Amino acid sequence: MRAAIHPRQSLKTHNRLTRVICYVLGMLILAIGLTLTAETRLGASALTAIPFVVSLRFPISFANATLGLFLIYVAVQFVVTRDRRTLVLTLLPLSVLFTGVMHIAQDAIEVEAFPLPARLGFLALAIVFTGIGAAMTLKMKLIPNPGDGFVQTLAEKTGKPIGTMKNIVDIVS
C-alpha cells in the first residue's frame, strides 16, 4: 500500500521546483544582460569589468575571460572556506554553464556596428535584463553566482557587512 503524501510535502516540492526554474531563468536573463552590455562597447557591469577589459586587450572571448575570473573567485573561496564540496559541486558547473550561455549570446548578439543611439537603447535593455536576472537569482536564495559567493565569503571572513564588502570588491575591480 502506498504511503499518503502530505499536502505540505507536495507544496514544498512544487515550491522548490518553481524556485529552481525561476533561478535558471534568472541566470539565463542575467547572462544575456551582461553579454549585451559588453557587446554595446559602452561599458561593463562591476561583475564583468575585468573580463571585459581583458577581452578587449587580448585574443580571448568575453565569455572565456569571465569564466577565468569566476574560476579565480571559486579558487579563492575554496582556499578560504571549509565547505569545499559545495563549491566544487555547485559553483564550478554553474560557472561553466553561465559563461556557456554568455558565449552563445556573444555569438548571437552583435550590436557594436549600430549607431550610438541604437547602442544606447541596447544598453538600456541590457541594464533591465541584468537587473531582472540578478533579482530573480538572488530572490530564489539558491546558489550565489561566483562573484556574489566570493563577496559573501570575504564578508564572512573579514566580519564586514556584505554590502560594504560588495562595494570594496566593485571599487577594486
Side-chain angles (χ1 to χ4, degrees), residues 57-74:
R57 177 70 178 98
F58 298 102
I60 184 171
S61 74
F62 173 62
N64 287 340
T66 302
L67 177 60
L69 180 63
F70 283 2
L71 294 178
I72 291 169
Y73 284 161
V74 172

Side-chain angles (χ1 to χ4, degrees), residues 20-136:
V20 168
I21 290 169
C22 285
Y23 178 83
V24 169
L25 217 83
M27 289 302 265
L28 292 172
I29 293 168
L30 178 60
I32 292 167
L34 294 173
T35 304
L36 184 56
T37 301
E39 287 297 311
T40 65
R41 297 295 192 255
L42 296 172
S45 73
L47 178 65
T48 59
I50 293 171
F52 178 70
V53 172
V54 168
S55 71
L56 292 176
R57 177 70 178 98
F58 298 102
I60 184 171
S61 74
F62 173 62
N64 287 340
T66 302
L67 177 60
L69 180 63
F70 283 2
L71 294 178
I72 291 169
Y73 284 161
V74 172
V76 169
Q77 291 174 73
F78 190 83
V79 170
V80 172
T81 187
R82 297 179 195 270
D83 194 10
R84 293 185 172 114
R85 192 172 129 191
T86 300
L87 288 169
V88 171
L89 293 177
T90 59
L91 283 180
L92 283 178
L94 175 68
S95 298
V96 171
L97 290 172
F98 185 82
T99 56
V101 171
M102 290 178 76
H103 214 308
I104 292 167
Q106 190 175 355
D107 289 344
I109 301 169
E110 293 189 23
V111 299
E112 186 180 358
F114 281 82
L116 182 60
R119 289 186 12 236
L120 287 169
F122 283 118
L123 180 61
L125 182 64
I127 291 168
V128 170
F129 273 38
T130 301
I132 290 171
M136 286 176 72

Side-chain angles (χ1 to χ4, degrees), residues 125-145:
L125 182 64
I127 291 168
V128 170
F129 273 38
T130 301
I132 290 171
M136 286 176 72
T137 58
L138 291 173
K139 188 165 176 79
M140 296 307 109
K141 296 182 180 175
L142 293 174
I143 307 164
N145 68 53

